[in-house]
């Protein structure tokens, strides 16, 4: 009996998450009501409140799940090996492609800026450990180099999502690593 309830609970939460993401593609969270989410998910308000305290609780749980997944993926790499930077970047892009709708929505103009900042800081904490930053820069400027690479990479990913993922995750990973390693001079 509890397995059935767990499946039903997961399904309901999935519907609520998908409904919020769909609505956030059209308008900011401040203009979305719980009633709209419930109508779209075809559930009643009491069911919503049995899972979440409010819209922000729902949004933060979606964001936290993505941050947790990204953190686990980033933590599984050895940053002393150059070749793993490409593999790590490609795997992150595969994750983003597989979760395209949520990632695209959360990184859009209607997304939560604090989520975008959390992703940037998470990436920054891992990029600063890579040989890309560590061995090629002086310690006093490595922080700036890392922030530059992360911010540029996030904007590349946002554009990639917005343009419909026309390039493969591997192609995008190679571009990001190439820009990070050698900057614009690698394209001349």
């Amino acid at each position: 009996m509890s397995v059935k309830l767990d499946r039903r609970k997961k399904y309901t939460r999935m519907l609520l998450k998908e409904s919020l993401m769909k609505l956030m593609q059209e308008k900011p969270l401040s203009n979305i009501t719980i009633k709209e989410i419930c109508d779209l998910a075809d559930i009643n308000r009491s069911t919503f409140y049995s899972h979440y305290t409010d819209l922000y609780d729902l949004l933060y749980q979606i964001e936290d799940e993505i941050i947790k997944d990204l953190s686990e993926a980033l933590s599984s790499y050895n940053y002393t090996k150059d070749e793993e930077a490409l593999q790590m970047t490609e795997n992150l892009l595969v994750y983003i492609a597989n979760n395209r709708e949520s990632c695209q929505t959360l990184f859009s103009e209607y997304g939560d800026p604090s989520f975008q900042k959390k992703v940037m800081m998470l990436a920054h904490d891992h990029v600063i450990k890579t040989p890309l930053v560590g061995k090629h820069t002086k310690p006093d400027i490595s922080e700036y180099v890392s922030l530059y690479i992360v911010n540029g990479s996030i904007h590349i990913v946002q554009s990639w999502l917005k343009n419909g993922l026309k390039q493969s995750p591997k192609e995008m990973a190679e571009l990001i690593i190439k820009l990070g390693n050698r900057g614009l001079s690698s394209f001349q």
Side-chain angles (χ1 to χ4, degrees):
M1 179 96 167
S2 68
V3 171
K4 202 178 245 187
L5 287 176
D6 287 344
R7 259 196 320 212
R8 204 172 348 174
K9 186 177 182 178
K10 285 179 185 177
Y11 180 73
T12 300
R13 286 180 178 220
M14 180 192 68
L15 286 175
L16 291 168
K17 288 175 182 181
E18 287 175 355
S19 297
L20 177 60
M21 289 295 102
K22 184 172 176 128
L23 290 168
M24 283 181 68
Q25 290 171 357
E26 301 165 9
K27 55 188 172 180
L29 187 67
S30 60
N31 294 345
I32 297 172
T33 65
I34 291 173
K35 182 182 181 336
E36 288 176 296
I37 292 172
C38 293
D39 288 347
L40 192 57
D42 197 25
I43 63 165
N44 61 45
R45 288 172 58 96
S46 63
T47 302
F48 177 91
Y49 286 114
S50 70
H51 293 276
Y52 304 102
T53 56
D54 58 20
L55 289 176
Y56 293 96
D57 183 30
L58 171 57
L59 176 64
Y60 295 152
Q61 285 193 33
I62 293 168
E63 292 174 350
D64 288 347
E65 185 179 313
I66 291 172
I67 293 287
K68 180 180 170 244
D69 290 345
L70 292 174
S71 182
E72 287 174 3
L74 287 167
S75 297
S76 67
Y77 289 93
N78 178 352
Y79 293 104
T80 60
K81 297 180 180 176
D82 284 330
E83 65 275 1
E84 284 203 16
L86 177 62
Q87 182 184 5
M88 173 192 68
T89 305
E90 183 179 351
N91 286 343
L92 289 175
L93 292 170
V94 166
Y95 174 85
I96 289 168
N98 289 341
N99 295 280
R100 175 185 181 179
E101 188 173 306
S102 294
C103 289
Q104 186 171 12
T105 302
L106 293 171
F107 279 114
S108 76
E109 62 187 292
Y110 297 134
D112 177 12
S114 69
F115 169 74
Q116 295 172 17
K117 186 171 179 137
K118 285 180 200 173
V119 171
M120 284 187 204
M121 294 316 298
L122 174 68
H124 166 69
D125 290 344
H126 288 277
V127 168
I128 205 157
K129 299 176 193 172
T130 65
L132 175 69
V133 174
K135 72 180 180 186
H136 298 299
T137 58
K138 297 175 190 171
D140 59 332
I141 64 165
S142 62
E143 171 112 2
Y144 301 119
V145 172
S146 174
L147 288 170
Y148 179 80
I149 292 168
V150 167
N151 280 296
S153 298
I154 289 196
H155 287 289
I156 287 171
V157 170
Q158 286 174 316
S159 183
W160 180 57
L161 284 165
K162 191 175 182 178
N163 292 324
L165 308 174
K166 292 178 183 167
Q167 298 81 11
S168 71
K170 182 176 180 130
E171 290 172 305
M172 294 307 295
E174 289 169 348
L175 172 67
I176 289 168
I177 295 300
K178 193 174 186 180
L179 284 169
N181 278 331
R182 295 183 293 281
L184 293 176
S185 65
S186 60
F187 293 97
Q188 294 175 350

